[in-house]
Amino acid sequence: MKKDITIQPEKQKKEESVQEKKEMIKEPLYAMRETVSEKDMVKEASLKYALKRQGEYTLEDYYALPDDQRIELIDGVIYDMAAPNMAHQTAATAITVQLNNYINSRGGKCFAYSAPVDVQLDCDDRTMVQPDVLVVCERDKIIKRCVYGAPDMVVEILSPSSERKDLTIKLAKYIGAGVREYWVIDLRLEKVIVYDIEHECRTSIYGMSKHIPVQIFGGDCQISFDGIMEMVRSILNSPEPDE
């Protein structure tokens, strides 16, 4: 004889709350496409830099590589980085310019940079990342060879080879390191995910028709994508030249 299973109201509410949180976490990941997976990137890097096991690499290994080999080191794991395309570079440069224009107009002490800039995120010898755009407001973190410590704001622009890393591994690293605000930009879907880490990691998703407020500046600074996307669309839709 089958027994009827009754879920108590409190238990049901708890289960619904957990499910809601799962859906909130899933939603920003909608843009991920199965192209080059994180496992593929790690495996590829393991073959290329087969000196140690993944998880055992340090900054000594990072600095020993040729300058033309773009990688990131995260918790001792080496990730290959594909060269950014022109749409990616156009967006990163334009965002950096807008941030610096705002900072300079207010006589601010922060600096905005675009990649490649080394960031020794955890101040240890196992992690070195290269965000697409970053803002640093503590000048003693800016040293000769890198940014030493967590930037105040980080922007990553998704590419097929970086989606999973940017939306999971780097999100966790930036939260843990004390980054105050993290943006993830999908140029093809024209969406921006903003993680306001400083304020309970509130998450907002914006279309690029909006002026998007920068929370570390209290929302007074707003990034406009109007001009950026006009150029980006042109680049993304441009035909490849005949070989």
Side-chain angles (χ1 to χ4, degrees):
M1 180 177 178
K2 293 184 179 179
K3 293 182 179 180
D4 292 331
I5 299 174
T6 304
I7 298 176
Q8 297 299 322
E10 288 185 7
K11 184 178 179 183
Q12 186 173 0
K13 285 181 183 178
K14 185 176 181 181
E15 289 177 353
E16 287 173 354
S17 176
V18 170
Q19 185 60 34
E20 284 174 6
K21 288 180 181 178
K22 285 182 179 178
E23 292 303 320
M24 287 174 65
I25 293 170
K26 277 186 196 173
E27 189 175 4
L29 306 184
Y30 69 98
M32 290 169 58
R33 291 175 282 274
E34 293 299 330
T35 49
V36 180
S37 73
E38 175 198 329
K39 287 184 179 178
D40 292 334
M41 292 169 66
V42 173
K43 184 178 179 182
E44 205 174 284
S46 296
L47 294 172
K48 190 179 292 185
Y49 315 110
L51 302 172
K52 299 179 180 179
R53 292 181 180 179
Q54 286 285 22
E56 296 179 353
Y57 289 98
T58 67
L59 291 186
E60 183 179 359
D61 304 305
Y62 180 88
Y63 285 123
L65 293 171
D67 292 339
D68 60 350
Q69 292 185 7
R70 295 191 72 235
I71 69 161
E72 287 186 308
L73 178 68
I74 302 177
D75 292 331
V77 176
I78 287 178
Y79 294 85
D80 273 319
M81 296 176 68
N85 62 33
M86 291 306 297
H88 186 123
Q89 286 295 82
T90 298
T93 301
I95 293 167
T96 305
V97 168
Q98 289 189 54
L99 287 167
N100 274 324
N101 284 344
Y102 172 83
I103 293 165
N104 293 335
S105 71
R106 301 299 193 279
K109 295 182 178 179
C110 303
F111 288 89
Y113 299 94
S114 56
V117 174
D118 282 344
V119 176
Q120 196 170 343
L121 190 65
D122 297 326
C123 302
D124 63 10
D125 70 341
R126 301 184 70 246
T127 297
M128 186 75 87
V129 294
Q130 290 189 2
D132 292 317
V133 179
L134 59 148
V135 177
V136 183
C137 296
E138 296 177 57
R139 293 194 177 186
D140 59 354
K141 289 184 177 180
I142 303 170
I143 63 176
K144 188 174 181 179
R145 62 181 173 82
C146 69
V147 172
Y148 189 74
D152 291 83
M153 178 183 182
V154 169
V155 178
E156 298 284 10
I157 300 170
L158 295 181
S159 63
S161 63
S162 73
E163 285 179 326
R164 188 176 297 275
K165 180 176 62 168
D166 291 343
L167 287 162
T168 56
I169 296 171
K170 279 192 166 181
L171 172 60
K173 288 298 294 182
Y174 291 147
I175 291 173
V179 172
R180 297 164 59 197
E181 183 170 0
Y182 178 38
W183 289 22
V184 179
I185 298 176
D186 190 319
L187 294 177
R188 290 194 174 276
L189 294 182
E190 301 192 9
K191 299 290 183 183
V192 180
I193 306 168
V194 175
Y195 299 95
D196 186 1
I197 299 170
E198 188 174 32
H199 299 101
E200 300 179 349
C201 204
R202 291 192 300 240
T203 305
S204 304
I205 301 177
Y206 296 90
M208 289 182 178
S209 60
K210 304 288 186 181
H211 285 61
I212 303 178
V214 178
Q215 299 303 323
I216 64 168
F217 298 130
D220 188 36
C221 172
Q222 298 192 356
I223 302 299
S224 169
F225 282 86
D226 293 341
I228 298 174
M229 289 312 300
E230 183 179 352
M231 183 66 178
V232 165
R233 290 187 197 105
S234 174
I235 294 169
L236 292 176
N237 294 325
S238 62
E240 289 293 331
D242 295 332
E243 293 295 335

